[in-house]
Amino acid sequence: MKILILGAGQVGSTVAESLVSEANDITVVDSDGDKLRLLQDRLDLRTLTGNAAHPSVLEQAGIADADMLLAVTQSDEVNLVACKLAATLYNTPTRIARIRAADYLERPEVFGTENFCVDFSICPEQILTEYIVKLIEFPEALQVLEFAGGKASLVAVRAFEGGPLVGKPLNFLRSHMPQVETRVAAIFRKDRPLIPEGSTVIEDGDEIFFIAATDNIRSVLSEMRRMDKPTKRVMIVGGGNIGRRLAKALERDYQVKLIEHNKKSCERLAGELTNTLVLNGDGTDEKLMQQEHVDDVDVFCALTNDDENNIMSALLAKQGGARKVISLINRSAYVGLLQGGKIDIALSPAQVTIGSLLAYVRQGDVVAVHSLRRGAAEALELVAHGDRQSSRVVGRRIDEIDLPKGATIGALVRGERVIMGHHDTLIEAEDHVIVFVIDKRTVKKVEKLFQVSLGFF
Amino acid sequence: MQRTLTVIHALGLMLVVFSAAYLLPVVTAVIYADYAILLDFLLAMIWTLAIGFLMWLLTRRSKGELSIRHGYLLVVAMWTAMPMFATLPLLLAIPDLSFTDAYFETMSGLTTTGATVMTRLDSLPPAINVWRHELNWLGGMGIIVLAVAILPLLGIGGRQLFKAETPGPMKDSALTPRIAETARNLWAVYLGITLACIAALKWAGMNWLDAVCHAFAALSLGGFSTHDSSVGYFNSPLIEFVLIVFMLIAAINFASHFLAWRSKSLGVYLRDAEAVATITLILGSCIGVGAFLWWQGTYTNFWTALRHASFNLVSMATDCGFASVDFNQWPIFAPLWMLFLSCIAVSSGSTGGGIKMIRTLVLVKQAGREFVKLLHPAAVNPLKIGGHVVPNNIVFAVLGFIFLYFMSVATLTFVLLISGLDFISAFSAIIACINNAGPGLNQVGPAGNYAGLTDFQTWICTLAMLVGRLEIFTVLILFTPHFWRR
C-alpha cells in the first residue's frame, strides 16, 4: 500500500516505523528537515521537506497515487486542509487526520464530505487519556483494552501470592467461579510466552492476559491477586495536553492533585479545571510531594514530555509511598528497562495510540488493534464475513480454524453478547472475533484468514 | 471649565427628555378629570423643558466628547438634578410639603428605594401616585443601563467583573457592541416584563391604577405603594404571589433576561452563577424564616407564617420594600436577617441595590481561597465564578468597595445617632437607604415611615440613597482631591 504521512513528530514517526515493518511504501512530509533526516537514517522510506498543506508539496510527495493519507502534524488546521486537498484535488481514497481541538471534534459535520473530507479523525492524547483512566479504575491491572465498543475487555495482570487462583491450574477457575465467563488468552512467565491450557498452573509473578465481559473484570482480577482498595487519590505531574485531559476526566470521581512547573500554565489549568488542586512546583521536588501527602496517593502519574523527569518523579513518588506509579516514557528503550521494576507501569504513548491508526491501515475487516508487551504481541478485533464457502472462518468451530501458531481466539462478540472462545464454539457471520497473537509476525496470516475469498462477490 | 460646560450640555438634554415623563401623570389627571393637578403637572413640565432647553442651548458650543472624569460628574449631576425637578409637581400640588421632604421622596423614587415621608397615600390624587411610581420605574430603567452599560465604562460596578477578561458565555453580557443598542434592548425587556406584571396584577384583582403603580414599583424594586399599609391593604395571597415572582425576576440581571429571551431558553439562568445564588439564597431564607416564625409562635399556622415571611422577606431581600404586615413586630432575628439579605442578595445589573451577589460571591470565594492557600502553599487557586476566572485586581476592587460600603454605613449611622435617633432606627434606616430597600425598623419600620425624621436626618438618608445607588465610588470620587486636580 502507498501511504503518505504528513508530520514527522512523535505520532508520525511511530506510525511510519510500524507501517514500514509491514511492507508498505511510505513517504513522510514535514517542514523540519532535520527530523526527516533522522527518520530516513533509521527506516526505509522516502521523505520530503515542505509545508504539508501546500498542493505542490503534496504532489511532489506522490499524493496522486497514494492509497492513504495520514495527516498527523501538530496543527489541526494543516491536517484538515491536507485532507480537503487530498479529497478534492487528488481523490485519495482514505484520509485520516489527527485532530486535537475539542471544538472540531464536537462538530462532526466539520469532517463531512461537503467540508473537510476527513474519513477518520484520531486524537492520540484522548486515546492515551482513556487508557490511563482505565488503569486508574482498575489499579491492579497492567493494561485494560476494550473491544467491540467496550463490551469485552482484555486485561493484563500480574499474579501475586494471595490470589485464589495462584498455584492452581487454569481449569480451577471455571469450577471456582462458574457464573463468570472468562478466558485466559496468554501467560508470560519471566517474559517467555506460554500457551495456556487447562492444566497450566499459575505461578506467582506470571503476567496473565485474560478476556472477559467488561462488567466482570473486577471479579476475575480478584482471582489473580489480592485486591487493593479502590483508587481515591490521584496525583498527576505535568499539566500538558495529557495531564490536563486526564485531570479533567478524573476530577469528578477522584481527588486529583496536579503539579505543573510553569506558573502561566498553572493559572490556565486552574481556570479550566473545576475540582482539581493545581500546584505550582517541580515534579521531582520531594518536599512538595511530602507536603502534598504523596504517601496517601493511590495512583501517581508522571506525564510530562520529558522521559527522565517522568522516571525520576515516579521513582521519588514510589519511594515516598505512592501505591501505584505510572510513568509516561517515549523512548522505547527505557520502557523495557523500567516496566515491572520500581515503576509499576511504564507507558509508551506510541504503543498505546498506534493501534487505533493501524486498524485503518490493516487489510481485512480489522476493527481494533492493540499492541501488547511493547509491540511484541498484538490483540486484534476482526469481523468475520461471508459464509462457509467464501470464508475460512465462518461456520467453523474454533478448533477447525487453521490458526497460525501462537494465535488464540479469545472471545466473540455477537450483537450484545460476549461469548468465550472454547474449542467447540461455532463462528457466525458478522461476529467480532478477538484474536490474541503472541508473535507479531503471524498477524498477517491471521488477517488473511479473515479475508473473504473472491467468490463472495 | 470647557468640560464642565459639556456636562451641563448633556444634563440639559437629559432634562428635556425627562420632561416627557410628565406626560403619564398628565394623562392620568385627564382620565380622572383632576384639572388642578393637571395644571400643576403641565407647569412642572414646561419649567423642566424650558430650563433643560436653556442649559442645552447656552452650552451648545461646548458639545463634545466626555472624559471618564466628567462621566462621573455627569452621572452624579443627573441623579441629583432629576429628583430636584421631579419635586416640582409635588411642591405645587401639596402646599404643606417641605422641599426637604419632597426631595427625599423623589430621590427615594428615582433611586428605587421606596422609602416615603408621605402619609395618607390612599387619599393622594391618582396623578401624584402615578408620578411617584413612575419615578420608581424610570429610576429602575436608568439603573439597569447605568449598571450594565455605563458604570463598567467608568470602571465601577459588578458587571465589570465580566468584562473583557472572561471568555465564554458571560462575555455575552456585553450583549451588543454599542451602548445605545444595549440600552434599547434592555429597556425593551424591562418594558415587556412590566407590561406582563401589570396584566398579572390586574388579573390577580387590583384595579388598573394600582396594577400599573405596583408593577412599576415591583419591577424597579422601588417599593412605593398607593396605600399606607402597602401591599397589606389588599390582603390577597394571589397578589402577593404575583409580586414575589416579579420581584425575583427584577432581582436577576436584566442582561440574563435579555439573553434568555433572545435565545428562547431558560438555560441562560442556570449558567448565570449570580442568579442561581440569588434565587437559592432568597428562597432558602423564605422557608427558614417562615419556619422560624411558626416555631416562635408569631403565626400559629405554618402556611400563614410562610406566606408572610416569603412576601416580606423577598420584598426586603430584593431591596423592593413592599410590606404586607408590620414585620417590625416579629422576633428581631427575622427582620435583621431580612436587612442583612438586602445588603447582599440581589444580582448586579438588576434594579436592586446593596453590595450585590456578585461581590458577595467574590468575597466568599476569596475567603475559601485563603484557607486553601494555608493548607497548600504551592496551590494555584484562581477565584472562579460560574467557571470563569476573576482576575486579582477585580478582587481588590471588590474588597475596596466593601470597605467603603461598611465605612459609609458606619459613618452615616453615627451621624444619625448624633442627631438623636435610637440605634435600631438609625442603623436600619441607613441600611435600608444605602441598599435602596425602603422600610427599616422601629421608627422607620413598615408601620411608620421617614416622616418623623428631622430635616437633617432626612438629608442624611437622602445622601445614603444616592451614595448607595451610584455604587459609592461614583459619588465619593467627587470628594477626592485627585478628581479635581488636573
Side-chain angles (χ1 to χ4, degrees):
Chain A
M1 197 152 50
K2 291 197 174 65
I3 300 174
L4 184 55
I5 299 175
L6 309 181
Q10 212 149 96
V11 181
S13 42
T14 340
V15 178
E17 189 173 346
S18 214
L19 293 178
V20 160
S21 64
E22 293 175 12
N24 296 295
D25 289 347
I26 296 186
T27 308
V28 182
V29 179
D30 197 289
S31 51
D32 185 348
D34 292 341
K35 269 193 204 161
L36 290 175
R37 217 158 300 128
L38 279 175
L39 205 59
Q40 201 162 24
D41 289 348
R42 224 151 40 87
L43 304 170
D44 177 21
L45 41 69
R46 187 157 71 108
T47 60
L48 184 71
T49 314
N51 185 330
H54 288 179
S56 62
V57 175
L58 291 174
E59 262 169 46
Q60 242 183 306
I63 195 165
D65 49 28
D67 299 306
M68 178 181 283
L69 176 75
L70 279 170
V72 292
T73 68
Q74 293 282 335
S75 155
D76 287 355
E77 290 73 18
V78 167
N79 297 341
L80 286 173
V81 169
C83 282
K84 178 74 181 170
L85 290 175
T88 49
L89 298 185
Y90 310 106
N91 270 325
T92 311
T94 312
R95 301 161 304 270
I96 299 171
R98 169 200 198 177
I99 303 292
R100 285 195 284 194
D103 247 13
Y104 293 129
L105 295 172
E106 282 161 7
R107 296 173 180 75
E109 65 271 20
V110 170
F111 304 131
T113 42
E114 67 283 9
N115 289 315
F116 281 105
C117 312
V118 177
D119 292 327
F120 306 105
S121 67
I122 58 155
C123 178
E125 287 85 357
Q126 191 56 34
I127 294 166
L128 195 56
T129 305
E130 283 162 13
Y131 186 90
I132 302 175
V133 168
K134 280 277 161 214
L135 289 178
I136 287 169
E137 196 180 331
F138 301 106
E140 299 83 6
L142 297 171
Q143 232 176 352
V144 181
L145 305 167
E146 292 192 333
F147 292 97
K151 290 187 202 76
S153 291
L154 175 71
V155 183
V157 59
R158 196 173 293 280
F160 270 118
E161 206 73 69
L165 198 63
V166 179
K168 305 247 163 50
L170 273 181
N171 45 23
F172 174 75
L173 188 67
R174 218 156 169 199
S175 56
H176 190 245
M177 31 189 257
Q179 74 284 7
V180 177
E181 284 266 358
T182 183
R183 193 175 148 75
V184 173
I187 299 173
F188 287 81
R189 183 168 299 160
K190 299 195 176 73
D191 284 341
R192 314 256 314 244
L194 297 178
I195 303 293
E197 294 181 25
S199 56
T200 311
V201 176
I202 294 179
E203 289 180 12
D204 184 34
D206 281 358
E207 199 176 320
I208 299 166
F209 287 84
F210 67 85
I211 295 178
T214 302
D215 301 334
N216 292 336
I217 294 178
R218 209 170 283 278
S219 41
V220 181
L221 274 176
S222 66
E223 293 293 307
M224 309 295 180
R225 56 181 296 169
R226 224 186 9 259
M227 294 293 275
D228 300 323
K229 55 183 188 330
T231 307
K232 260 199 340 229
R233 299 184 188 80
V234 178
M235 190 180 276
I236 300 170
V237 170
N241 246 316
I242 299 159
R244 194 196 62 207
R245 280 170 196 266
L246 185 64
K248 214 173 212 167
L250 295 177
E251 64 180 358
R252 270 203 302 164
D253 304 324
Y254 305 94
Q255 288 177 33
V256 183
K257 288 177 181 172
L258 175 66
I259 301 177
E260 160 67 42
H261 67 94
N262 184 323
K263 182 94 196 191
K264 274 255 154 56
S265 309
C266 278
E267 280 163 13
R268 204 170 39 80
L269 285 165
E272 206 174 314
L273 301 166
T274 46
N275 247 336
T276 301
L277 186 67
V278 180
L279 302 160
N280 181 224
D282 203 285
T284 52
D285 177 357
E286 74 276 13
K287 287 243 171 57
L288 177 64
M289 284 192 197
Q290 274 163 19
Q291 195 185 319
E292 295 300 336
H293 299 283
V294 74
D295 49 325
D296 282 341
V297 166
D298 297 315
V299 180
F300 180 93
C301 308
L303 306 176
T304 69
N305 48 20
D306 185 309
D307 284 358
E308 287 78 8
N309 266 340
N310 286 344
I311 295 168
M312 278 336 220
S313 64
L315 289 174
L316 277 172
K318 192 72 184 178
Q319 172 104 356
R323 193 146 62 92
K324 175 178 182 178
V325 298
I326 299 175
S327 172
L328 198 67
I329 298 175
N330 285 306
R331 286 180 60 172
S332 45
Y334 288 177
V335 179
L337 204 61
L338 290 160
Q339 170 105 33
K342 278 202 149 186
I343 292 177
D344 298 286
I345 295 177
L347 271 186
S348 156
Q351 294 300 343
V352 172
T353 54
I354 189 82
S356 56
L357 264 175
L358 291 182
Y360 300 121
V361 183
R362 294 284 175 76
Q363 290 146 350
D365 236 323
V366 181
V367 183
V369 181
H370 291 295
S371 294
L372 308 168
R373 296 189 53 81
R374 304 177 284 293
E378 226 172 60
L380 298 152
E381 175 183 349
L382 303 114
V383 184
H385 288 300
D387 53 28
R388 212 181 143 79
Q389 264 69 49
S390 61
S391 166
R392 278 178 286 167
V393 182
V394 177
R396 287 168 169 81
R397 285 168 29 164
I398 286 183
D399 55 3
E400 288 173 349
I401 298 170
D402 180 28
L403 278 172
K405 195 172 176 298
T408 40
I409 291 183
L412 317 172
V413 179
R414 187 172 295 161
E416 291 298 305
R417 257 177 358 119
V418 180
I419 303 162
M420 287 308 133
H422 300 296
H423 66 94
D424 55 349
T425 311
L426 202 68
I427 294 180
E428 293 178 9
E430 307 311 318
D431 279 355
H432 285 235
V433 183
I434 299 166
V435 184
F436 190 95
V437 185
I438 289 176
D439 185 354
K440 205 183 155 189
R441 282 169 295 188
T442 54
V443 165
K444 268 251 140 36
K445 282 188 193 151
V446 174
E447 284 172 6
K448 280 249 170 62
L449 200 60
F450 276 78
Q451 270 172 0
V452 177
S453 67
L454 285 172
F456 179 59
F457 301 99
Chain B
M1 192 58 206
Q2 185 62 29
R3 286 290 168 78
T4 315
L5 288 180
T6 317
V7 170
I8 293 177
H9 182 77
L11 197 59
L13 191 64
M14 276 304 305
L15 287 176
V16 172
V17 176
F18 182 64
S19 63
Y22 293 96
L23 288 174
L24 193 64
V26 165
V27 170
T28 315
V30 171
I31 290 172
Y32 284 87
D34 196 342
Y35 296 111
I37 293 287
L38 177 65
L39 206 65
D40 292 337
F41 272 100
L42 284 176
L43 206 61
M45 182 167 159
I46 289 164
W47 270 107
T48 310
L49 190 62
I51 293 175
F53 183 69
L54 240 112
M55 282 163 69
W56 178 78
L57 198 68
L58 293 178
T59 55
R60 70 188 182 285
R61 285 172 189 283
S62 322
K63 190 179 164 190
E65 285 287 306
L66 281 172
S67 65
I68 285 186
R69 179 181 298 236
H70 289 86
Y72 293 110
L73 197 59
L74 177 64
V75 169
V76 176
M78 261 163 54
W79 288 84
T80 42
M82 282 202 294
M84 193 122 70
F85 284 91
T87 56
L88 285 174
L90 298 185
L91 291 171
L92 289 170
I94 310 169
D96 56 348
L97 191 69
S98 74
F99 175 71
T100 304
D101 284 352
Y103 192 73
F104 178 91
E105 190 76 13
T106 52
M107 180 64 90
S108 162
L110 279 168
T111 56
T112 76
T113 306
T116 184
V117 287
M118 294 197 163
T119 44
R120 299 190 307 283
L121 295 173
D122 305 71
S123 56
L124 280 180
I128 294 282
N129 264 330
V130 166
W131 179 235
R132 291 170 65 236
H133 287 87
E134 196 196 353
L135 289 180
N136 260 180
W137 193 71
L138 291 175
M141 202 168 188
I143 276 309
I144 292 171
V145 172
L146 198 66
V148 175
I150 297 174
L151 285 186
L153 282 188
L154 301 182
I156 293 182
R159 276 295 118 182
Q160 173 205 9
L161 299 181
F162 292 138
K163 239 178 53 181
E165 289 91 346
T166 54
M170 278 303 186
K171 206 169 191 175
D172 294 4
S173 290
L175 302 181
T176 57
R178 298 169 66 87
I179 294 184
E181 186 63 26
T182 307
R184 261 198 294 279
N185 283 323
L186 292 176
W187 285 340
V189 173
Y190 186 56
L191 183 68
I193 301 178
T194 308
L195 292 178
C197 184
I198 293 174
L201 287 175
K202 179 73 178 87
W203 167 76
M206 285 192 182
N207 63 32
W208 280 115
L209 178 71
D210 281 346
V212 170
C213 285
H214 285 87
F216 278 2
L219 256 293
S220 62
L221 296 176
F224 272 150
S225 176
T226 49
H227 303 285
D228 278 329
S229 46
S230 194
V231 177
Y233 169 88
F234 302 101
N235 193 20
S236 149
L238 189 59
I239 286 176
E240 287 168 20
F241 178 74
V242 169
L243 284 173
I244 285 177
V245 170
F246 280 95
M247 286 190 290
L248 288 177
I249 289 175
I252 292 171
N253 186 354
F254 274 79
S256 289
H257 292 315
F258 172 69
L259 289 176
W261 169 71
R262 194 172 59 180
S263 62
K264 308 272 180 290
S265 116
L266 294 178
V268 172
Y269 297 110
L270 291 178
R271 282 200 301 276
D272 181 353
E274 217 189 346
V276 173
T278 297
I279 298 297
T280 317
L281 179 62
I282 292 181
L283 293 185
S285 296
C286 283
I287 295 169
V289 170
F292 171 76
L293 291 180
W294 176 63
W295 173 59
Q296 285 283 308
T298 313
Y299 298 101
T300 46
N301 182 326
F302 175 73
W303 297 109
T304 318
L306 187 64
R307 170 190 157 192
H308 291 310
S310 300
F311 182 78
N312 293 287
L313 186 135
V314 168
S315 163
M316 282 306 285
T318 58
D319 297 323
C320 186
F322 289 134
S324 65
V325 291
D326 183 7
F327 54 76
N328 195 31
Q329 304 300 323
W330 291 353
I332 190 74
F333 159 74
L336 277 186
W337 180 253
M338 284 153 60
L339 276 179
F340 171 66
L341 288 184
S342 81
C343 299
I344 60 167
V346 293
S347 293
S348 60
S350 72
T351 50
I355 294 171
K356 308 269 160 55
M357 185 49 89
I358 189 82
R359 293 201 182 89
T360 314
L361 289 176
V362 167
L363 286 182
V364 169
K365 300 213 165 170
Q366 176 63 24
R369 231 175 136 197
E370 298 292 341
F371 288 125
V372 172
K373 198 84 203 163
L374 288 175
L375 290 171
H376 305 280
V380 177
N381 183 25
L383 201 155
K384 283 193 282 190
I385 287 181
H388 299 290
V389 175
V390 179
N392 268 334
N393 58 337
I394 301 243
V395 177
F396 285 126
V398 170
L399 289 171
F401 175 87
I402 299 287
F403 173 74
L404 279 182
Y405 175 86
F406 281 110
M407 286 313 284
S408 307
V409 169
T411 314
L412 292 171
T413 306
F414 277 123
V415 172
L416 283 191
L417 288 176
I418 291 170
S419 72
L421 211 59
D422 72 285
F423 171 69
I424 293 281
S425 301
F427 180 63
S428 64
I430 292 301
I431 291 278
C433 285
I434 208 164
N435 293 341
N436 307 111
L441 298 176
N442 276 8
Q443 194 181 332
V444 295
N449 67 17
Y450 288 73
L453 302 184
T454 64
D455 276 2
F456 175 71
Q457 289 163 344
T458 309
W459 279 111
I460 293 297
C461 289
T462 311
L463 179 66
M465 289 190 266
L466 180 69
V467 168
R469 181 77 290 178
L470 298 184
E471 311 253 305
I472 303 181
F473 279 121
T474 320
V475 179
L476 294 191
I477 201 169
L478 299 188
F479 297 97
T480 59
H482 293 291
F483 183 83
W484 300 103
R485 205 176 286 156
R486 307 223 160 233

